[in-house]
Amino acid sequence: MQVAKMFDAISGKYDFLNHFLSLGIDIRWRKKAIRLLANSKPKFILDVATGTGDFAIEALKLHPEKIVGVDISEGMLEIGKGKMKAKNYESVIELMRADSENLPFEENKFDAVIVAFGVRNFENLEKGLSEIFRVLKPNGRILFSDALIIGGIVSHDEIAARSAIGYYLFSPPAENERLLETAGFRLLQVCDATANAQRIAGRWREARCKRAAALIAIEGQENFEGLQRFLATIETLNKERRLLRSVYLAQKPGTN
Ligand SMILES: C[S@@+](CC[C@H](N)C(=O)[O-])C[C@H]1O[C@@H](n2cnc3c(N)ncnc32)[C@H](O)[C@@H]1O
């Protein structure tokens, strides 16, 4: 419940914080990730930890019949529902409150399950993955990313800067692969997105540096410096591969 309260508290600012703090990486990642599912043409999609629904909206590009988005935070869902109504997506995208560790769906229901910027907020990823496995149809696919894989020595200051908002779990390399296998999945693809994340953080930091005076007038000195530190930390950690980002595509085995 600690996680739900945290996201309830920031839900009003989430879209801004997300696009801003993740430097637009979130938008690019969603677009690129959804393409990984295009070949499998999923008709029924579940977006776990949907938050304000941005990944569910991106999944419309796959032309599914139905997308269900679930989240434990009422606050995030309220913002999401307002967005679906305003954009007229309500007939395809349905948002509801549910915990990833106890999904209110029968088994073998969905063709694809997607999780964007969510798995490292789960209190129990192992339980979440086994629930996702249960509700996927045979041959159904799971797609998620993890930007908090530890690749080397990281100081407590760097960890604090990188996890500026909220509850996060950092994991060692190969842990997600192990958890996917334990849940019963067959890993199809792991893409290393570390260099990409580093480049974007670097470009963003430099662009902000060039406009420092104007930004300080808007954000204040302290916020400006805080965000520059955040970006520099990501850039350094990614560049030195002490923090890694990967995208995972895995499949529930078929019945034959
Ligand atoms: C960083 S946000 C990502 C939201 C969205 N997927 C996006 O792309 O913007 C993480 C979300 O995970 C949700 N969450 C965390 N633990 C969860 C759980 N056990 N079950 C369902 N949602 C959960 C939070 O409430 C929050 O909305």
Side-chain angles (χ1 to χ4, degrees):
M1 277 304 94
Q2 179 203 351
V3 178
K5 279 201 192 119
M6 179 193 100
F7 279 100
D8 281 346
I10 64 163
S11 58
K13 292 182 285 199
Y14 178 78
D15 281 350
F16 166 73
L17 282 172
N18 193 22
H19 302 328
F20 192 54
L21 284 184
S22 77
L23 346 161
I25 296 173
D26 66 310
I27 297 167
R28 280 164 223 235
W29 181 78
R30 286 192 192 90
K31 281 188 198 308
K32 214 172 158 188
I34 279 301
R35 286 203 288 269
L36 290 173
L37 282 174
N39 286 344
S40 58
K41 299 187 174 60
K43 289 280 162 251
F44 294 97
I45 300 176
L46 175 65
D47 181 23
V48 174
T50 192
T52 60
D54 280 355
F55 206 29
I57 291 173
E58 195 59 43
L60 288 171
K61 298 213 174 107
L62 299 169
H63 309 293
E65 284 172 25
K66 183 92 192 164
I67 302 170
V68 180
V70 296
D71 201 282
I72 40 163
S73 161
E74 290 286 4
M76 297 289 274
L77 289 168
E78 275 317 302
I79 306 275
K81 283 177 187 166
K83 229 190 277 184
M84 300 312 161
K85 194 166 181 198
K87 293 179 189 276
N88 229 354
Y89 293 149
E90 284 171 309
S91 59
V92 185
I93 302 178
E94 183 187 353
L95 300 186
M96 62 169 76
R97 193 183 176 287
D99 190 334
S100 63
E101 291 172 32
N102 189 14
L103 294 169
F105 307 108
E106 71 265 25
E107 51 190 56
N108 305 335
K109 185 174 169 72
F110 295 98
D111 300 299
V113 176
I114 56 181
V115 196
F117 307 97
V119 296
R120 285 293 152 212
N121 293 120
F122 292 178
E123 284 175 24
N124 187 341
L125 178 54
E126 205 156 353
K127 187 79 184 29
L129 287 178
S130 72
E131 272 294 87
I132 290 171
F133 185 89
R134 184 181 66 75
V135 302
L136 269 174
K137 291 178 187 167
N139 296 317
R141 294 184 174 188
I142 177 175
L143 175 78
F144 70 93
S145 84
D146 185 354
L148 300 179
I149 302 162
I150 297 286
I153 293 172
V154 184
S155 76
H156 71 289
D157 282 342
E158 288 167 330
I159 296 259
R162 182 59 188 84
S163 38
I165 39 164
Y167 177 92
Y168 289 100
L169 295 172
F170 292 76
S171 73
E175 179 65 359
N176 288 319
E177 287 87 332
R178 187 188 71 79
L179 289 174
L180 279 165
E181 197 179 309
T182 305
F185 287 104
R186 189 165 65 85
L187 192 62
L188 297 179
Q189 209 173 328
V190 184
C191 309
D192 180 5
T194 311
N196 187 42
Q198 175 211 327
R199 270 195 302 276
I200 294 166
R203 266 189 243 137
W204 194 271
R205 189 185 50 73
E206 283 161 20
R208 284 174 51 81
C209 194
K210 283 188 192 134
R211 295 162 185 82
L215 287 169
I216 289 167
I218 300 165
E219 299 171 1
Q221 184 81 31
E222 202 179 318
N223 286 339
F224 175 82
E225 284 173 7
L227 190 51
Q228 291 302 87
R229 251 196 321 276
F230 171 81
L231 295 171
T233 305
I234 296 182
E235 204 184 346
T236 307
L237 288 176
N238 285 165
K239 184 172 172 214
E240 295 171 5
R241 298 191 64 81
R242 291 186 286 131
L243 196 61
L244 312 171
R245 178 188 190 87
S246 291
V247 180
Y248 301 84
L249 181 68
Q251 188 167 33
K252 176 170 173 171
T255 42
N256 46 17

